[in-house]
Amino acid sequence: MIRNLLGLFGSTILLSAMAPAASAQDMIDEDARWSIAIHGGAGTINRDKITPEQDKAIRAALGSALAAGSKILKDGGSAMDAITATIIILENDPNFTAGKGAVFTWDKTNELDSSIMDGSDLSAGAAAGINGAKNPILLARAVKDKSPHVMLSGEGANQFSREQGLEQVSPDYYATPYRLDQIEKLLSKEVSAADVDYKYGTVGAVAMDSKGNMAAGTSTGGMTGKRWGRIGDSPVIGAGTYADNRSCAISATGAGEYFIRLGVAHEICARIRMRWPVAIEEAQQTVPKDEEGNYTYAIHASEFMLSDEEIQQIADDVIAELGELGGDGGIIYATPWGQAGYSFNTAGMYRGRATSEGEASVAIYGDE
């Protein structure tokens, strides 16, 4: 099993040799470890703003999406397939804004964004400002797998979607009475979207499969009342989505402009990637030496992992910096060592996680 050797320094275990820097693939042992985390948006999500019926429906939706992704991973499927299946379920649920139930622009149209990334080879696909595709995450994946590009936008992306044979819907598919009421209130009062929206309904999923491969995906209907073709962080690789087998997988939700400015998804992964070899070196310094001044044993990279606390601290630090800029929202993460979790600076975040170790949970409020 992968172990944190910081807890083993008092033992007499000897490791054969000091290992050079390794990739996440080298760090994964032969056990079928997997993990997944999902989100359905963050924001001012308080108990007094959600009815018991809404609470139950949202938890059921999160649970269904989490179960679908978990089954694929448990059966040995890929992280890419797991997050795709998970996000499709959330896109089809009007409790969120990524497909059915997407918010409206200032012109009372829908402009959806999505992105997906494979941590094994850093391949990625994204679509921005699209409509017509029932499931934007499938369009993002098609861009990744079947085009030479990373991001397509607007009518060109819509054309590509049709050419790939993806299921198309009419504009009224996305509309719900609640979202129509939102945009009517905004237009009639000419107030900012912040006065109408109390949460961000972007959806996302991150996962590590049993082969140690990472994947991340994000999908959104955007921001109520957005104008001039505004694009947020969700389709931006490195801001709203990032995956790298050497560090982590991230999906974000929140005030997109701030996530873009800070490059939140990539920033967290980069800090984890840079922290790991430093942590190994720090741990090596604590190993006793023999009479000749040589370490009595060498810490092997394949047996070393960053702790839950270190991962959480890195994520929390970046979200704190986001807050200092004026942004709010949150992220979900998965790591090459099987951890899955979240960090957010809002009152709540629709979220869930499951691992091969038996953990499975969904939550809404910040105090859960």
Side-chain angles (χ1 to χ4, degrees):
M1 294 290 290
I2 294 176
R3 297 163 297 190
N4 186 338
L5 291 184
L6 292 173
L8 297 175
F9 291 152
S11 72
T12 58
I13 296 176
L14 298 181
L15 301 176
S16 61
M18 176 72 77
S23 68
Q25 197 69 35
D26 299 321
M27 293 181 278
I28 301 301
D29 64 6
E30 295 179 356
D31 293 341
R33 295 168 63 95
W34 55 264
S35 64
I36 184 171
I38 67 173
H39 72 75
T44 308
I45 303 172
N46 296 320
R47 287 180 173 82
D48 61 353
K49 294 184 180 295
I50 298 177
T51 68
E53 292 76 19
Q54 289 173 322
D55 183 295
K56 182 177 180 180
I58 291 166
R59 291 181 191 273
L62 292 170
S64 295
L66 190 64
S70 297
K71 184 179 188 307
I72 291 172
L73 295 169
K74 184 177 181 180
D75 292 344
S78 71
M80 284 294 298
D81 287 345
I83 66 164
T84 301
T86 297
I87 292 173
I88 286 174
I89 291 175
L90 297 174
E91 286 179 334
N92 292 344
D93 194 302
N95 283 298
F96 313 104
T97 71
K100 183 69 175 177
V103 297
F104 285 86
T105 69
W106 187 268
D107 297 320
K108 297 179 71 172
T109 60
N110 302 111
E111 296 176 358
L112 296 87
D113 308 322
S114 63
S115 62
I116 199 166
M117 187 168 186
D118 187 335
S120 68
D121 60 3
L122 304 186
S123 61
I130 64 103
N131 54 55
K134 179 181 179 181
N135 294 110
I137 196 64
L138 291 179
L139 176 51
R141 186 161 179 178
V143 173
K144 182 185 83 70
D145 294 340
K146 300 179 180 180
S147 86
H149 308 300
V150 170
M151 182 185 289
L152 301 180
S153 67
E155 186 49 43
N158 290 334
Q159 178 184 344
F160 180 77
S161 175
R162 295 189 294 269
E163 290 176 356
Q164 294 304 311
L166 300 179
E167 183 177 357
Q168 303 294 303
V169 294
S170 60
D172 61 354
Y173 166 80
Y174 305 114
T176 63
Y178 176 68
R179 299 302 180 193
L180 285 167
D181 183 61
Q182 273 188 327
I183 190 64
E184 291 295 350
K185 286 180 178 179
L186 186 149
L187 294 175
S188 64
K189 295 180 180 179
E190 296 188 356
V191 295
S192 70
D195 294 318
V196 177
D197 269 343
Y198 295 98
K199 62 182 181 298
Y200 304 98
T202 297
V203 307
V206 295
M208 180 196 77
D209 61 35
S210 58
K211 295 181 180 178
N213 290 322
M214 317 286 296
T218 311
S219 184
T220 188
M223 182 176 71
T224 299
K226 67 179 180 178
R227 307 178 76 178
W228 311 298
R230 177 264 187 187
I231 296 171
D233 66 302
S234 295
V236 180
I237 301 302
T241 301
Y242 202 75
D244 186 339
N245 279 14
R246 299 170 295 179
S247 56
C248 68
I250 300 286
S251 175
T253 175
E257 282 71 12
Y258 295 93
F259 281 82
I260 293 171
R261 288 166 58 187
L262 195 56
V264 166
H266 182 269
E267 181 71 12
I268 293 173
C269 288
R271 292 190 189 189
I272 291 174
R273 180 184 170 193
M274 295 300 103
R275 174 59 187 160
W276 182 64
V278 172
I280 294 178
E281 179 60 27
E282 290 174 349
Q284 186 65 47
Q285 299 301 317
T286 70
V287 174
K289 296 181 179 181
D290 60 23
E291 295 179 353
E292 297 180 354
N294 299 313
Y295 290 118
T296 53
Y297 58 88
I299 295 176
H300 199 286
S302 65
E303 297 259 329
F304 190 88
M305 62 180 283
L306 293 183
S307 68
D308 295 354
E309 293 75 18
E310 287 176 295
I311 297 295
Q312 190 65 51
Q313 189 62 59
I314 289 171
D316 289 347
D317 286 346
V318 175
I319 293 301
E321 292 178 23
L322 179 82
E324 291 170 2
L325 284 177
D328 60 354
I331 60 93
I332 53 175
Y333 64 78
T335 76
W337 307 287
Q339 295 130 325
Y342 347 91
S343 181
F344 54 96
N345 64 4
T346 51
M349 183 166 86
Y350 301 144
R351 60 199 189 275
R353 62 183 170 187
T355 73
S356 54
E357 304 304 307
E359 177 184 1
S361 63
V362 296
I364 295 177
Y365 311 107
D367 57 5
E368 293 185 81

